[in-house]
Amino acid sequence: MYKMIVSDLDESLLKDDGSVSARDLETIARLKRQGIKFVPNTGRGFASVQRLLDDLGTRGEAGQYVISYNGGAVVDNAHNEIVLAKPLPFEVADQIFQLAMAHPDYCAHVYTFHHVYVTRPNPVELGYLANRQVAFTEFHASDLQDFAGRDIAKVIFQHPEMKMREALRDEVAKTIDYQPTVSFSSNRYVEFNPAGIDKGDAAIALGARIGIAPDEIIALGDNSNDLSMIRKAGLGVAVANAIPAVKEAAGLVLDVTNNEDPVTALATKLRL
């Protein structure tokens, strides 16, 4: 029997307008009554998903959780208490940031464990962040010295062209003597997390903490930063709009997209 569903947000659970469908909210509430936990497993910071937790009915609730920063932090909703976390070494974050800022076309996000900072936001990115209700502080800098002494969860960079996102990944690999966990998300970001951090390991670690085995976990996702949880959970599930690699790794590929009640389709398919 499955006891926990961990779900990516953007392009997986959330519709293109940034909301969860009414049918999926009803399904998640029903699963919760049955004792099945529903845990957002996202690249976002946990502070930015509080309104979503209101909709899910788990905000401030003991025994309910969020996995944030692609697995960089596991948070207990009761008091937004970080129960598991691993920061990106400051020197590494600074080096990656400086490499990216040497190119004029990247928009950068710097995630501390409690806030998001953005530099060079373009109009399209500003619209995307507003649609997702992501609160952030804009800053202007060519390095991260203002963040010295603060834990950084991850740094990510937005560019509309995949070849440019891949080029930054390759430049970091060649230049920096540290291998961060690198992933791509939302068809717009290349993300750099601490080495050894991914959504899959965080889901397994949370399960171990609360007595849920890996084979009792379902993972729902769509993009490359979801691959680890798709592969490591008892059942990996891809939405119809997932990239080919996620569909190939998944044990179940839904015939509905993120806009078509994916959690309800999943629950129906598995008779949950």
Side-chain angles (χ1 to χ4, degrees), residues 150-206:
R150 302 175 63 183
D151 284 339
I152 294 176
K154 67 174 183 174
V155 290
I156 75 174
F157 303 91
Q158 180 265 340
H159 195 285
E161 297 180 15
M162 184 63 177
K163 66 179 182 180
M164 292 297 292
R165 302 194 295 272
E166 291 174 334
L168 182 57
R169 173 201 60 190
D170 295 344
E171 186 175 5
V172 167
K174 293 176 183 178
T175 306
I176 296 177
D177 188 24
Y178 176 94
Q179 295 303 312
T181 299
V182 184
S183 58
F184 299 93
S185 63
S186 299
N187 297 317
R188 64 197 302 113
Y189 299 122
V190 55
E191 309 204 11
F192 299 89
N193 276 87
I197 288 295
D198 61 48
K199 289 184 174 185
D201 282 346
I204 301 305
L206 172 58

Side-chain angles (χ1 to χ4, degrees), residues 58-75:
T58 61
R59 183 172 181 173
E61 186 172 338
Q64 300 293 338
Y65 300 88
V66 173
I67 299 171
S68 288
Y69 312 114
N70 290 325
V74 177
V75 180

